[in-house]
Amino acid sequence: MSLDSLSEFIDCLDRAGELVRITHPVSVDLELCEIADRVMKSPDGGKALLFENVTLFDGSRSAYPVAINLYGSMRRMAMSLGVEDLDSIGGRISELLEMKVPEGLIGKLSLLPRLMEVGKFPPRVRGGKAPSQEVVWRGDEVDLGKLPIIKCWPEDGGPYITLPMVISKDPTRGIRNVGMYRVQVMGPRTLAMHWQRHKVGAAHWREMAERGETMPVCIAVGADPASIYSASAPLPPNIDEFLFAGFLRKEPVSLVKALTCDLEVPAEADFVIEGYIDPRDPLITEGPFGDHTGFYSLADLYPQVHVTAVTMRQRPVYATTIVGRPPMEDYYLGHATERIFLPLLKLTIPEVVDYHMPAEGIFHNLVFVSIDKQYPGQAYKVMNALWGQGLMSLAKVLVIVDKDVNVRDPQEAWWIALNNIDPERDARFTMGPVDVLDHASRAFTYGSKMGIDATRKWPEEGFTREWPKLIEMDDATKRKVDAMWAKLGISEGSQWSTGRGPR
Ligand SMILES: Cc1cc2nc3c(=O)[nH]c(=O)nc-3n(C[C@H](O)[C@H](O)[C@H](O)COP(=O)(O)O)c2cc1C
């Protein structure tokens, strides 16, 4: 059974002992962030938190509880998508990608159930009153100050919606996009939309602004957990994130028409903020914001959103997150993407065996990639291919290793990589687009990248010296020591045993 709403997800976490309910009053002004930060820094990401007594900026009590760190552990991330292991989703994608039409009628018929399953995924627009529209504030009734929107860090430009699903439509093709872009509260009915220039929502806006068209935009907060995650997934612009969420859930996402603009929003959302961007408006200063790099991102100009309505459930929960010095909750969201997207990466770069973006690398700063090297120069081929793929094009440092290195263990990956390189020979620099949040690049969103070929070097690559063997104890000795271990009076083996190494 898929989880259909945020409250179902919260109940599920509660039953699994993954949730702490906090009844002590806690302010949206920095306090909630400080508590969540301490919890997110605990081993394995700590528990999810439900703040039931939240104080707003004006000192009054919020009518709505606040949930945070819902996705912030491997276990909860998997629970949110209804799986034991995130790699199993990658497995489902591989199966679909490898679907070959079998010979003969019986063989073809055997494909039907799988094809019908694919047909179940597209979102369905329902009629009647949706839970997300049980309560409606329109026009002047709207006061965003009544929502428990948190200010995270002392020098943030204001309160921010941090776990939103920002919904827009491609004005030419009509394809929907759902992106997780932070949104700053600028006034009771005004927001600043921080979609970075490489993102799909920003492309929709550029196109509409050029044509002088008013852009409808909706910001949903809280929904089925797969939809919330999908907003953060780097899908190509022609794939609707609600379709992807349907695939993850194995059930379609239920949508409803927004009340004041021409978009569809999740019928099970906790809150939906409806509004528009007027192309005649000047851009507005957004930020600074304590970002996932661990630094404040600088204030910059972004479009302003005029809010026309806020709709909500009768008893909504406000879902949020914080970013900052890693590790934080977003590491687990990014990790899910890493696992789920591996088969798609292999589709275009088949020699990729595995890849990993360690928490300290903030996704775009460092990517370890293991490859099945079959010919000289292949590490460079993989680097160039990765820098040509969607948001992977923003990767700052790529480290390519051989297939037997476990890239999901950064200690192992660095150990092998640093041993294997002659820095001058094996590092290459190139130029390209750089993440908006990169504060060190020579220009905003433009700069250099480094690729490190840490694979074993081949004679054809000019390496004529002998390549050494890895140290490994022989099996017979290992077995003898296993047998005597209990008698030695040593409680644990060292984690640095030479038995540990590349697979
Ligand atoms: C917690 C969190 C906050 C994020 N904030 C932003 C943001 O403010 N702006 C942005 O462009 N991307 C942000 N991202 C990354 C995007 O969600 C991600 O790149 C996603 O793929 C964008 O969707 P799109 O490909 O449909 O544009 C954030 C991701 C997470 C997990």
Side-chain angles (χ1 to χ4, degrees):
M1 275 286 288
S2 58
L3 296 165
D4 287 333
S5 64
L6 181 65
S7 50
E8 281 186 24
F9 183 31
I10 290 173
D11 288 347
C12 168
L13 295 178
D14 207 2
R15 283 195 303 275
E18 285 285 332
L19 183 85
V20 178
R21 290 173 184 272
I22 297 162
T23 51
H24 190 82
V26 173
S27 171
V28 289
D29 191 5
L30 308 182
E31 287 178 11
L32 205 145
C33 173
E34 173 63 14
I35 295 166
D37 185 35
R38 292 187 193 189
V39 172
M40 289 180 195
K41 294 289 186 296
S42 49
D44 300 326
K47 301 274 188 216
L49 305 176
L50 185 68
F51 291 90
E52 295 179 329
N53 184 352
V54 177
T55 312
L56 300 177
F57 287 98
D58 64 5
S60 66
R61 182 173 173 172
S62 163
Y64 319 107
V66 175
I68 197 164
N69 206 23
L70 296 167
Y71 295 86
S73 74
M74 291 299 177
R75 182 176 185 215
R76 290 198 298 283
M77 188 63 237
M79 284 169 76
S80 75
L81 302 181
V83 291
E84 289 284 318
D85 174 13
L86 293 166
D87 282 300
S88 66
I89 301 173
R92 274 180 69 211
I93 294 179
S94 299
E95 252 181 48
L96 278 180
L97 296 174
E98 282 162 13
M99 201 149 72
K100 289 194 200 81
V101 181
E103 291 294 314
L105 183 63
I106 302 287
K108 287 192 173 78
L109 283 178
S110 70
L111 271 185
L112 266 181
R114 274 160 74 192
L115 288 172
M116 274 161 56
E117 202 202 348
V118 178
K120 267 178 26 191
F121 304 148
R124 294 192 186 149
V125 182
R126 51 169 279 173
K129 199 166 181 170
S132 59
Q133 295 174 339
E134 281 165 351
V135 177
V136 180
W137 301 344
R138 281 178 198 260
D140 292 349
E141 281 176 289
V142 174
D143 181 1
L144 296 172
K146 288 190 183 147
L147 303 186
I149 302 174
I150 61 172
K151 180 176 175 189
C152 305
W153 301 104
E155 290 176 34
D156 281 2
Y160 277 88
I161 302 169
T162 54
L163 200 69
M165 288 159 277
V166 176
I167 302 160
S168 62
K169 252 187 197 165
D170 181 319
T172 313
R173 296 184 294 169
I175 302 171
R176 186 180 13 249
N177 187 69
V178 190
M180 186 170 285
Y181 316 122
R182 72 173 187 244
V183 192
Q184 183 178 349
V185 179
M186 310 302 287
R189 285 176 288 283
T190 314
L191 298 162
M193 177 58 68
H194 182 263
W195 44 41
Q196 297 159 358
R197 65 188 340 171
H198 306 114
K199 307 300 169 75
V200 180
H204 292 176
W205 165 64
R206 277 196 300 270
E207 196 173 332
M208 295 197 84
E210 259 170 40
R211 298 185 191 181
E213 287 172 14
T214 298
M215 177 180 186
V217 63
C218 286
I219 299 149
V221 181
D224 70 274
S227 288
I228 302 175
Y229 156 71
S230 298
S232 76
L235 291 164
N238 56 351
I239 298 184
D240 175 355
E241 279 77 3
F242 288 139
L243 166 69
F244 184 61
F247 167 79
L248 294 173
R249 287 158 43 75
K250 301 184 189 160
E251 289 281 342
V253 175
S254 178
L255 301 178
V256 66
K257 287 209 162 302
L259 299 181
T260 59
C261 65
D262 187 20
L263 289 171
E264 295 82 34
V265 297
E268 298 289 341
D270 288 67
F271 296 90
V272 178
I273 301 172
E274 301 183 4
Y276 66 91
I277 298 173
D278 184 337
R280 293 163 307 182
D281 279 345
L283 298 179
I284 196 167
T285 303
E286 191 267 6
F289 178 70
D291 226 312
H292 77 154
T293 54
F295 293 84
Y296 282 100
S297 51
L298 304 178
D300 205 350
L301 295 174
Y302 281 91
Q304 52 179 306
V305 179
H306 301 282
V307 179
T308 47
V310 172
T311 73
M312 64 187 89
R313 300 174 82 99
Q314 204 74 51
R315 293 170 54 115
V317 175
Y318 178 79
T320 195
T321 189
I322 55 166
V323 293
R325 189 175 170 149
M328 285 286 199
E329 181 177 6
D330 65 335
Y331 169 69
Y332 299 94
L333 289 162
H335 183 74
T337 292
E338 182 188 294
R339 293 297 94 206
I340 293 170
F341 281 67
L342 178 61
L344 295 170
L345 208 59
K346 286 185 182 184
L347 200 62
T348 46
I349 321 174
E351 58 270 68
V352 168
V353 172
D354 203 356
Y355 75 120
H356 180 55
M357 296 180 270
E360 311 72 44
I362 329 289
F363 310 118
H364 57 270
N365 282 348
L366 176 64
V367 187
F368 287 115
V369 185
S370 57
I371 64 165
D372 185 3
K373 181 168 163 177
Q374 299 287 331
Y375 49 81
Q378 200 166 357
Y380 295 111
K381 181 248 186 191
V382 169
M383 287 173 204
N384 291 323
L386 287 169
W387 281 322
Q389 295 258 335
L391 289 182
M392 203 47 109
S393 63
L394 306 180
K396 187 143 102 170
V397 177
L398 295 178
V399 182
I400 316 291
V401 292
D402 285 304
K403 65 178 176 193
D404 51 357
V405 179
N406 178 10
V407 287
R408 296 202 217 168
D409 175 353
Q411 282 186 344
E412 177 174 320
W414 276 130
W415 160 52
I416 296 293
L418 295 172
N419 266 303
N420 277 8
I421 58 166
D422 171 304
E424 193 198 28
R425 183 195 60 202
D426 295 330
R428 285 291 178 285
F429 296 96
T430 188
M431 298 296 294
V434 163
D435 194 273
V436 165
L437 303 184
D438 192 304
H439 57 247
S441 59
R442 65 203 64 198
F444 178 60
T445 67
Y446 172 63
S448 68
K449 284 122 195 307
M450 180 167 63
I452 300 176
D453 174 4
T455 59
R456 229 167 268 135
K457 299 302 161 328
W458 289 17
E460 294 101 310
E461 293 171 324
F463 189 86
T464 47
R465 297 172 58 205
E466 187 183 342
W467 196 269
K469 276 178 74 178
L470 268 171
I471 303 169
E472 273 244 65
M473 184 49 72
D474 64 85
D475 283 346
T477 308
K478 279 188 193 170
R479 276 197 300 276
K480 269 199 248 163
V481 171
D482 283 347
M484 72 175 79
W485 193 259
K487 297 174 200 137
L488 298 177
I490 309 167
S491 55
E492 284 168 20
S494 159
Q495 63 158 326
W496 291 109
S497 140
T498 49
R500 179 179 169 279
R503 287 167 290 173

